[in-house]
Amino acid sequence: MSAGDDFIRAVVRADLAAGRHDEVVTRFPPEPNGYLHIGHAKSICLNFGVPREFGGRCHMRFDDTNPTREEHEFIEAIQEDVRWLGFDWGEHLYFASDHFERLYEWGEHLIRTGDAYVDDLSAEEIRAHRGTLTEPGRESPWRARPAEESLDLFRRMRAGEFPEGARVLRAKIDMASGNINMRDPVLYRILHASHPRTGEAWCIYPTYDFAHGQSDAIEGVTHSLCTLEFEDHRPLYDWLVDHLPVPMVPKQYEFSRLNLSHTVLSKRRLTQLVQEGRVDGWDDPRMPTLCGLRRRGVPPEAIRDFVGQLAISKTSDNLVEAAMLDHAVRERLNRSAPRRFGVLRPLKVTLENYPEGEDEWVDALNNPEDPEAGTRRLRFGRTLYVEADDFMEEPPKKFFRLAPGREARLRYAYLVTCQEVIKDSSGAVTELRCTYDPATRGGKAPDGRKVRGALHWVSAEDSVAAEVRLYESLFTKALPGVDGGALWDDLNPASRTVLGGCRLEPGLATAAPGETVQFERQGYFCPDPVSTPEAPVFNRTVGLRDSWARAQKQAAREG
Ligand code: ATP
Ligand code: MG
């Protein structure tokens, strides 16, 4: 299914065609209690994408109704991440707390119309009265309390006369409803907590259910798009809008959440990972957070591409392979990322017949996928580094790289032949003594002899030492923690490998975070924020092997 075909876009198209709205207004409503992750990206791209396609706008709305869990840090980070992803809410930045006064008035309104009451039952008693999926609930003894009395108590709740948990405001709907959300849901609770925006102004706070639809109505949101777990809340959403003097009637639509394999997307789990020190922070490059992906070198376009391919449907939440995200990242970077030489596990090569003290420059293509990208010059000389695993002392027949007596191509430079292997006292190979063929400049043999391998390399003289961090999935299992075991047992102990003493071509020392490049034959890499020209640090964004593309081709072959 391509974008534009999903049921939400169909609804929007029909609403506009029927003249129900002049423009479409959506909102992205994060709770500021954590950082945004790739699952949120699905919601962001949908909420901002639909008005972009059909004309209209998307509001940025913080659902800040739970002061005990929320922080300024998250409010700032969320805005940064949405902007980075490529979306802009213009002047339409809202907080549910902007609407607290109006919501409070509407609480009083429902009391006056006989549609809400103050309940003195404790949270535990309310739970006990609620009933189950098969049994109806029981009415609170306070349900019939006169409106005047509820009004007085509600005002005193606001004035701070009662301790937390002493009383709540509840809608008076139907304790026998088949939908538990309709069994006199709580609209306000007492919380003597300081709020990041309203400070000490309030000691009663609206619940999500009371705040959300009403905020939509106040802001003129036409289509309130949320995930499937809110489907059972829709009757309450509609009931509240119907029983309040709201300026317009918004509608809620639910779509499936994104679940990604080999990671977790629950904020509770992500918070635990950070708080228990199992990762280095919210922006650890192994995290599925937007800031983690950014730090890893993932371009925002790749996230938009990936999310754009996901079904927006009402079928229950599906698990998407992490390899599909990696594929989208490669597709983008393959087109845009400059090619560079980086040797991750260096092995010294001395060209015995190259004149000592001399060097020369060779031209290297910046991106074979992009003719506009041009070339750069690389220094070539007597001492070089190649990748240690591009040499084998006893190679199999099809090993087309360096081995004793074998010739290989140093890409863009010369053909070289391994003459001698130097080892240390433990038997480890420390150096290759090679010869180069001066007639093969540019890497081409004038006599047409066939040399298959083309190796990357750097010169010892001007390459820079760097640390390179390789990443694998955070969890070993596609669905971590599901078959009985503890979630943490499925953490991947090899999720990060730190390599010191890597050698990179010199221009990379001054690259900045976000400038993702391809180290030829190794993958895509970008500088970490801690990187400095003196001590470069690179993160591997993704390797080159595309298991997703391969699996797709295989599936197509099998028809
Ligand atoms: P969690 O359940 O992990 O705490 P949440 O849904 O409470 O996450 P919010 O900050 O409330 O997180 O989410 C803001 C918006 O993003 C909501 O509309 C929510 O439906 C949507 N969203 C969150 N997670 C996903 C996901 N995995 N896929 C699609 N949309 C998501
Ligand atoms: Mg939530």
Side-chain angles (χ1 to χ4, degrees):
M1 192 191 297
S2 69
D5 296 339
D6 61 73
F7 79 96
I8 286 176
R9 287 175 168 91
V11 165
V12 168
R13 198 177 287 116
D15 284 349
L16 293 174
R20 277 188 281 274
H21 309 287
D22 298 331
E23 57 172 5
V24 49
V25 182
T26 59
R27 84 288 166 265
F28 173 63
E31 190 179 344
N33 62 349
Y35 282 67
L36 297 181
H37 53 63
I38 185 80
H40 290 112
K42 179 176 181 183
S43 176
I44 294 167
C45 291
L46 180 67
N47 275 299
F48 282 92
V50 165
R52 208 178 253 186
E53 288 157 40
F54 291 92
R57 60 178 196 268
C58 177
H59 296 180
M60 179 73 178
R61 158 132 40 91
F62 285 97
D63 167 23
D64 58 346
T65 51
N66 193 343
T68 55
R69 295 198 307 218
E70 292 155 9
E71 286 177 33
H72 275 298
E73 178 197 350
F74 300 134
I75 293 175
E76 297 302 319
I78 287 170
Q79 294 184 63
E80 185 187 349
D81 289 348
V82 176
R83 283 207 194 88
W84 174 74
L85 202 52
F87 300 104
D88 183 15
W89 48 91
E91 61 197 315
H92 296 285
L93 171 64
Y94 302 98
F95 292 81
S97 57
D98 295 340
H99 311 313
F100 277 176
E101 191 62 47
R102 186 94 74 101
L103 291 170
Y104 173 80
E105 285 165 23
W106 284 344
E108 288 203 356
H109 177 96
L110 288 179
I111 296 173
R112 276 192 226 99
T113 56
D115 294 312
Y117 60 98
V118 169
D119 195 344
D120 298 357
L121 293 185
S122 68
E124 205 169 308
E125 288 166 321
I126 289 177
R127 212 171 301 126
H129 276 68
R130 191 157 44 207
T132 64
L133 286 173
T134 49
E135 279 168 53
R138 281 176 295 131
E139 293 186 354
S140 163
W142 306 103
R143 196 176 202 261
R145 134 188 289 169
E148 273 315 306
E149 193 179 310
S150 279
L151 205 52
D152 174 58
L153 287 169
F154 189 44
R155 288 175 182 161
R156 288 165 61 196
M157 279 167 65
R158 175 181 183 167
E161 287 189 27
F162 309 119
E164 275 181 26
R167 297 191 158 82
V168 292
L169 181 70
R170 297 178 74 177
K172 194 186 287 185
I173 308 181
D174 179 7
M175 288 308 292
S177 171
N179 182 339
I180 292 182
N181 293 299
M182 299 299 273
R183 294 182 188 169
D184 291 11
V186 172
L187 307 180
Y188 265 94
R189 67 258 199 247
I190 300 170
L191 281 174
H192 290 281
S194 173
H195 184 284
R197 288 182 57 85
T198 60
E200 315 299 319
W202 294 90
C203 61
I204 57 171
Y205 291 93
T207 54
Y208 170 90
D209 283 320
F210 193 58
H212 204 87
Q214 281 52 258
S215 299
D216 288 341
I218 293 167
E219 294 172 21
V221 168
T222 56
H223 298 77
S224 186
L225 312 178
C226 60
T227 37
L228 280 174
E229 70 271 22
F230 294 103
E231 194 166 22
D232 291 343
H233 294 243
R234 181 159 23 97
L236 176 56
Y237 184 105
D238 291 338
W239 186 93
L240 285 166
V241 164
D242 194 42
H243 285 74
L244 286 167
V246 290
M248 56 81 75
V249 177
K251 289 276 178 210
Q252 175 182 300
Y253 300 90
E254 310 88 18
F255 62 95
S256 57
R257 285 175 95 85
L258 165 65
N259 296 310
L260 197 63
S261 77
H262 300 91
T263 191
V264 288
L265 292 184
S266 131
K267 261 192 274 188
R268 192 171 63 85
R269 292 307 200 183
L270 295 174
T271 304
Q272 270 180 305
L273 280 165
V274 172
Q275 286 180 350
E276 296 176 13
R278 297 177 189 273
V279 293
D280 286 349
W282 286 97
D283 69 344
D284 187 303
R286 292 167 292 182
M287 290 282 273
T289 49
L290 297 183
C291 55
L293 293 166
R294 174 164 70 234
R295 185 165 178 184
R296 190 159 169 163
V298 170
E301 297 82 5
I303 297 179
R304 297 203 301 264
D305 292 346
F306 166 69
V307 161
Q309 288 160 17
L310 302 173
I312 303 290
S313 73
K314 289 200 72 86
T315 49
S316 62
D317 304 343
N318 46 350
L319 182 70
V320 175
E321 284 293 328
M324 182 177 162
L325 172 60
D326 290 347
H327 172 75
V329 174
R330 279 187 204 98
E331 288 280 291
R332 274 285 166 183
L333 293 176
N334 181 41
R335 273 176 269 159
S336 63
R339 274 45 171 180
R340 296 290 181 258
F341 282 171
V343 178
L344 301 188
R345 296 172 180 86
L347 173 59
K348 187 176 167 187
V349 167
T350 304
L351 301 178
E352 293 175 321
N353 60 338
Y354 197 94
E356 238 164 302
E358 285 187 23
D359 60 19
E360 65 191 285
W361 296 92
V362 299
D363 289 324
L365 278 181
N366 282 332
N367 187 348
E369 300 286 322
D370 177 6
E372 307 276 284
T375 58
R376 68 192 185 284
R377 294 171 63 199
L378 297 175
R379 187 194 293 265
F380 186 84
R382 184 179 159 88
T383 314
L384 310 165
Y385 293 107
V386 298
E387 207 67 60
D389 63 10
D390 280 336
F391 168 79
M392 274 183 95
E393 199 162 15
E394 288 165 33
K397 205 152 173 257
K398 291 208 162 162
F399 186 78
F400 299 115
R401 297 177 258 166
L402 283 169
R406 286 204 195 168
E407 188 171 46
R409 172 181 294 103
L410 297 183
R411 191 156 198 218
Y412 302 125
Y414 291 96
L415 301 183
V416 299
T417 303
C418 177
Q419 307 293 356
E420 192 189 342
V421 182
I422 312 286
K423 297 180 183 174
D424 65 13
S425 55
S426 74
V429 176
T430 55
E431 184 184 344
L432 303 180
R433 311 286 294 187
C434 299
T435 50
Y436 84 113
D437 179 350
T440 59
R441 192 177 149 87
K444 287 177 276 289
D447 61 1
R449 72 180 181 272
K450 216 170 165 160
V451 177
R452 298 267 276 271
L455 315 184
H456 62 278
W457 52 273
V458 294
S459 88
E461 195 169 339
D462 70 358
S463 60
V464 291
E467 177 178 307
V468 173
R469 301 167 180 174
L470 308 179
Y471 301 103
E472 299 294 336
S473 64
L474 192 50
F475 290 89
T476 51
K477 292 199 182 135
L479 276 172
V482 286
D483 29 68
L487 177 69
W488 305 133
D489 292 345
D490 296 337
L491 270 175
N492 181 2
S495 60
R496 177 170 63 193
T497 304
V498 178
L499 300 175
C502 309
R503 307 288 311 191
L504 312 180
E505 63 176 85
L508 290 169
T510 49
E515 293 178 18
T516 308
V517 298
Q518 185 191 94
F519 290 178
E520 289 202 20
R521 304 172 63 230
Q522 297 288 4
Y524 296 96
F525 294 79
C526 87
D528 189 82
V530 305
S531 189
T532 63
E534 296 72 38
V537 178
F538 276 72
N539 294 315
R540 183 167 71 189
T541 311
V542 67
L544 292 177
R545 262 179 51 138
D546 195 333
S547 59
W548 175 255
R550 194 173 313 166
Q552 296 298 101
K553 274 191 204 128
Q554 174 88 16
R557 266 200 306 275
E558 285 164 8

